Amino acid sequence: MRVHGIDPSPERQHTAWADFLRSQADALLACDFFEVRALTGARLYVFAVIERATRRIRILGATAHSTGQWAAQLGRNLVMDLQETGSTARFLIRDRDANFTVAFDAVLPMPDFTSSRPASGSTG
């Protein structure tokens, strides 16, 4: 391999997930659902988004019964909020939750706005 100018794998230049996150900090959002218990004992699912550049956390909604349609509406609300604040976000990192449907991805406003799911087990 050295004859052909290819260094051994650990020395080869590549873009790792952590490198991507650092280089695109101003353009990144990450979102996820988490579960909380209300004072009544009811289980609620909360949808939160964090802006990597400002570390601002947006709690977009909570429900006892999360669905793809509910998540898509929260996506629309997020887009309007980002437009109002002049956000430069272009990437949304999310997991593989079933609530992230095609309808959720469809509300992303710009052709260069990308919703991405890290590969299983990727740590950066």
Side-chain angles (χ1 to χ4, degrees):
M1 290 182 74
R2 286 190 192 271
V3 171
H4 297 288
I6 301 172
D7 291 329
S9 182
E11 298 171 20
R12 214 177 292 155
Q13 190 70 301
H14 69 283
T15 302
W17 185 245
D19 295 333
F20 170 77
L21 293 176
R22 277 189 293 278
S23 69
Q24 298 295 323
D26 290 343
L28 285 177
L29 299 171
C31 67
D32 206 355
F33 295 94
F34 62 92
E35 182 182 305
V36 297
R37 292 284 180 164
L39 293 175
T40 62
R43 179 180 299 172
L44 297 175
Y45 300 95
V46 180
F47 184 62
V49 176
I50 184 170
E51 284 184 78
R52 174 70 169 84
T54 63
R55 292 190 169 70
R56 178 179 179 189
I57 297 174
R58 302 166 193 265
I59 304 296
L60 298 178
T63 185
H65 305 286
S66 63
T67 64
Q69 184 178 11
W70 177 73
Q73 180 59 51
L74 294 178
R76 285 188 283 278
N77 296 349
L78 173 63
V79 167
M80 288 187 299
D81 191 31
L82 292 173
Q83 289 171 343
E84 285 177 12
T85 61
S87 175
T88 59
R90 294 181 325 152
F91 300 100
L92 176 67
I93 300 170
R94 62 179 177 83
D95 62 12
R96 298 174 187 277
D97 192 292
N99 287 318
F100 295 123
T101 62
V102 173
F104 180 86
D105 289 338
V107 302
L108 302 177
M110 301 145 295
D112 62 342
F113 198 98
T114 304
S115 176
S116 61
R117 298 171 295 192
S120 299
S122 65
T123 58

